[in-house]
Amino acid sequence: MATLTLVQWRAAQVPPRTLTSVARDLDVSHPLVSEWEKGTRKPGVELALRLEKLTGGAVPIESWGYTRDLVDLMRSAVERRDIDLAAHISSPVVDLVQAFERRATGS
């Protein structure tokens, strides 16, 4: 698949996609999408990944200056954070359930 700019991808769609429709799909403002297209701003990594998915890979994350290595590194960091959060969250929940069970059984 050829790499396209966001403007090219929008124009190639049948019917052509508007700034507003892309913005709505990404839950951002259409002026922000316009700024991406003009090059005055670029999407963050998460939005760049969502754009890649929205465009079926036609506008890859690399087109915004990010690398796959960065994405893999961030994904790994998020997974580690989620594991750490789960460990902190599940312990009090387990303690609460156990306390409730002890109370219910009178032990």
Side-chain angles (χ1 to χ4, degrees):
M1 171 182 292
T3 298
L4 302 175
T5 66
L6 185 54
V7 174
Q8 291 168 331
W9 178 81
R10 285 192 315 104
Q13 303 310 294
V14 178
R17 295 288 302 269
T18 64
L19 287 171
T20 302
S21 71
V22 171
R24 184 178 50 244
D25 287 348
L26 297 172
D27 197 27
V28 298
S29 68
H30 73 270
L32 180 59
V33 176
S34 177
E35 290 177 9
W36 295 341
E37 289 187 350
K38 292 178 202 170
T40 55
R41 292 182 69 178
K42 72 177 185 177
V45 174
E46 180 185 351
L47 282 168
L49 283 169
R50 290 171 53 199
L51 274 165
E52 181 177 78
K53 184 176 180 182
L54 176 68
T55 64
V59 182
I61 191 167
E62 292 89 351
S63 67
W64 304 103
Y66 301 110
T67 65
R68 289 282 160 197
D69 289 342
L70 173 64
V71 172
D72 292 342
L73 179 65
M74 291 185 71
R75 183 175 288 123
S76 170
V78 167
E79 288 170 358
R80 280 194 309 273
R81 181 203 64 201
D82 290 348
I83 289 169
D84 289 345
L85 285 174
H88 288 94
I89 292 170
S90 63
S91 180
V93 170
V94 169
D95 292 346
L96 182 62
V97 169
Q98 289 172 344
F100 179 77
E101 289 172 345
R102 282 192 303 273
R103 187 173 176 198
T105 61
S107 51

